[in-house]
Amino acid sequence: MTESWATSFGVDLHLELADGGLRSGLMDALREAIRTGRLTPGTRLPSSRSLAADLGIARNTVADAYGELVAEGWLTARQGSGTRVAQRAAPRKAAAPAAPRSRPARRRPQYSLMPGTPDLGTFPRAEWLRAARRALTAAPNEAFGYGDPSGRVELRTVLADYLARARGVHAHPDRIVICSGFAHGLMLMAQVLRARRAREVAVESYGLDVHWSLLTERGLRTRALPLDELGTDTRGLDREGAVLLTAAHQFPIGVPLHPDRRSAVVDWARATGGLVLEDDYDGEFRYDRQPVGALQGLDPEHVVYLGTASKSLAPGLRLAWMVVPDGLVAEVLAAKGAMDWVCGTPDQLTLAEFIASGAYDRHVRGIRLRYRRRRDQLVEALAAASPETAVSGIAAGMHALVELPGGMERPVVQAAAWQGLAVEGLARYRHGTAPGAGRDALVVGYGTPPESAWHGALDALCRALP
Ligand SMILES: Cc1ncc(COP(=O)(O)O)c(C=O)c1O
């Protein structure tokens, strides 16, 4: 995934700051970005408050650096229009005859609205460090040895409580297995299914190809089920070993699975002995008043629930959890033990403390508000810029589906690239066996950009729309 400018800029600055002062490091980095053309004349810079928040430095430091660069002529500052790169800031290059161009030069993506990643600047560093200090201080020595493949009991215990309270999951610590991301949990389930002689897993018409590949690489065929406005239609399920569903918020279309279909898929599992693999990747982020609980609550003996910290905290943690039917725990642990892929115990203990102390709930509430605000701004900006454009899938999560007229998906993704914006079209997420016609749409990951780049990304998106 392409990094947004502000994020990569933050990393550059961080390296610079190690050698010199914060202010001079920031000024050097800004001058360099202007000199090399990464920041073009007229570009509006983030406010000192949001850049300071992204870089984790004092606002005054940013304000001082901006002030000096204005004095040097690199930037301009005007009441009401913020701080911008000065029109003639970059030293003029020796004039080379300009080749006639039929369209503007394609810019390196400055912004990203690619779905899949939360705003990494929201990672609660200070609270996480406090939780780590408390957890590691209290940890017994044995916690630093080779771990139990099911994961630390401290984490499984608080998760059982949290998942029951927040997601309606029937969870006992003995039925929870900690894994290294949803992807790892899915790999384990593929291994279990193969050992049970399953050949095929039904999947949704739209999803992530990396997940389908994890199944096929382990000898399981995938076949897509139809999808309509009620969610995935599971009536065509037959003797598949399992069905993989994003029931609370279909990825990436965004519909929740209709209650009748939730019951129907559980009935299928009971009748055939098949398993429902529930990918609850963004269940914490629901914005309307009707919470959509986990499907697992309907039948914990036939549903394997998979949750992850990748959206609510950060994908880099590689921490996730499975809640497994009683009769399946031993098989999952055998698969996990065989891989010798135990997640690091210090992070498990820290997450346990983070949840138990209430910091996780506070963090989720805080970022839920932030994403909700962005979602509202997205809907508002699109309505103003392109009134015909429908936005859907917005009741939850951190991405939205922006519907496009037929045939417009590729041109709009291309137009976004000219605007310096990386964004993904829906076709990228369609399974090869999906029935029916595809739709033209963008999958807009509004959770992705850092706060300082959010408005720039939104403007670029609006400019790219027909
Ligand atoms: C549909 C879906 N499922 C699961 C995940 C989480 O995957 P992991 O926990 O492996 O990071 C994501 C993250 O992007 C996702 O989009």
Side-chain angles (χ1 to χ4, degrees), residues 115-117 180-184 207-208 211 246 249 251 279-281 307-311 315 318-320:
T117 315
S180 222
F182 165 83
H184 180 207
L208 284 174
H211 295 162
T246 45
H249 187 225
F251 183 85
D279 175 3
D280 196 34
Y281 64 106
T308 176
S310 287
K311 303 277 185 187
R318 304 316 297 142
L319 269 176

Side-chain angles (χ1 to χ4, degrees), residues 156-168:
R156 290 185 286 114
T157 305
V158 293
L159 274 174
D161 186 47
Y162 172 78
L163 293 173
R165 167 167 62 78
R167 302 293 304 127

Side-chain angles (χ1 to χ4, degrees), residues 9 65 80 90 107 215 238 251 323 350 434 457:
F9 193 52
R107 284 203 241 151
L215 297 169
D238 188 16
F251 183 85
V323 185
T350 302

